[in-house]
Short mmCIF file of all heavy atoms in Angstrom, two decimals:
data_model
loop_
_atom_site.label_atom_id
_atom_site.label_comp_id
_atom_site.label_asym_id
_atom_site.label_seq_id
_atom_site.Cartn_x
_atom_site.Cartn_y
_atom_site.Cartn_z
N ARG A 232 0.95 20.39 -80.53
CA ARG A 232 0.53 20.03 -79.18
C ARG A 232 -0.96 20.27 -79.03
O ARG A 232 -1.52 21.23 -79.55
CB ARG A 232 1.29 20.86 -78.15
CG ARG A 232 2.74 20.46 -78.04
CD ARG A 232 3.45 21.19 -76.94
NE ARG A 232 2.56 21.42 -75.80
CZ ARG A 232 2.77 22.32 -74.88
NH1 ARG A 232 3.83 23.09 -74.94
NH2 ARG A 232 1.94 22.47 -73.87
N THR A 233 -1.58 19.40 -78.27
CA THR A 233 -3.00 19.54 -77.98
C THR A 233 -3.17 20.59 -76.89
O THR A 233 -2.46 20.57 -75.89
CB THR A 233 -3.58 18.19 -77.52
OG1 THR A 233 -3.30 17.20 -78.52
CG2 THR A 233 -5.08 18.27 -77.30
N SER A 234 -4.13 21.45 -77.08
CA SER A 234 -4.41 22.52 -76.14
C SER A 234 -4.78 21.95 -74.76
O SER A 234 -5.54 20.98 -74.68
CB SER A 234 -5.55 23.38 -76.66
OG SER A 234 -6.15 24.12 -75.63
N PRO A 235 -4.28 22.56 -73.69
CA PRO A 235 -4.69 22.10 -72.35
C PRO A 235 -6.20 22.24 -72.12
O PRO A 235 -6.80 21.44 -71.39
CB PRO A 235 -3.92 23.00 -71.39
CG PRO A 235 -2.89 23.70 -72.19
CD PRO A 235 -3.28 23.62 -73.63
N TRP A 236 -6.83 23.23 -72.75
CA TRP A 236 -8.28 23.39 -72.63
C TRP A 236 -9.01 22.23 -73.29
O TRP A 236 -10.01 21.74 -72.75
CB TRP A 236 -8.73 24.71 -73.26
CG TRP A 236 -8.39 25.89 -72.41
CD1 TRP A 236 -7.39 26.79 -72.62
CD2 TRP A 236 -9.02 26.26 -71.19
NE1 TRP A 236 -7.37 27.71 -71.61
CE2 TRP A 236 -8.36 27.41 -70.71
CE3 TRP A 236 -10.07 25.74 -70.44
CZ2 TRP A 236 -8.73 28.05 -69.53
CZ3 TRP A 236 -10.44 26.38 -69.27
CH2 TRP A 236 -9.77 27.52 -68.84
N LEU A 237 -8.51 21.81 -74.43
CA LEU A 237 -9.13 20.68 -75.12
C LEU A 237 -9.00 19.41 -74.28
O LEU A 237 -9.96 18.64 -74.16
CB LEU A 237 -8.50 20.47 -76.50
CG LEU A 237 -9.07 19.33 -77.35
CD1 LEU A 237 -10.56 19.51 -77.57
CD2 LEU A 237 -8.33 19.23 -78.66
N ILE A 238 -7.85 19.21 -73.70
CA ILE A 238 -7.65 18.04 -72.84
C ILE A 238 -8.61 18.10 -71.65
O ILE A 238 -9.22 17.10 -71.28
CB ILE A 238 -6.18 17.95 -72.37
CG1 ILE A 238 -5.28 17.65 -73.57
CG2 ILE A 238 -6.02 16.90 -71.28
CD1 ILE A 238 -3.79 17.79 -73.29
N ALA A 239 -8.75 19.29 -71.06
CA ALA A 239 -9.66 19.45 -69.92
C ALA A 239 -11.09 19.12 -70.31
O ALA A 239 -11.80 18.42 -69.58
CB ALA A 239 -9.56 20.87 -69.37
#
Side-chain angles (χ1 to χ4, degrees):
R232 289 185 36 199
T233 305
S234 160
W236 285 105
L237 181 58
I238 293 170

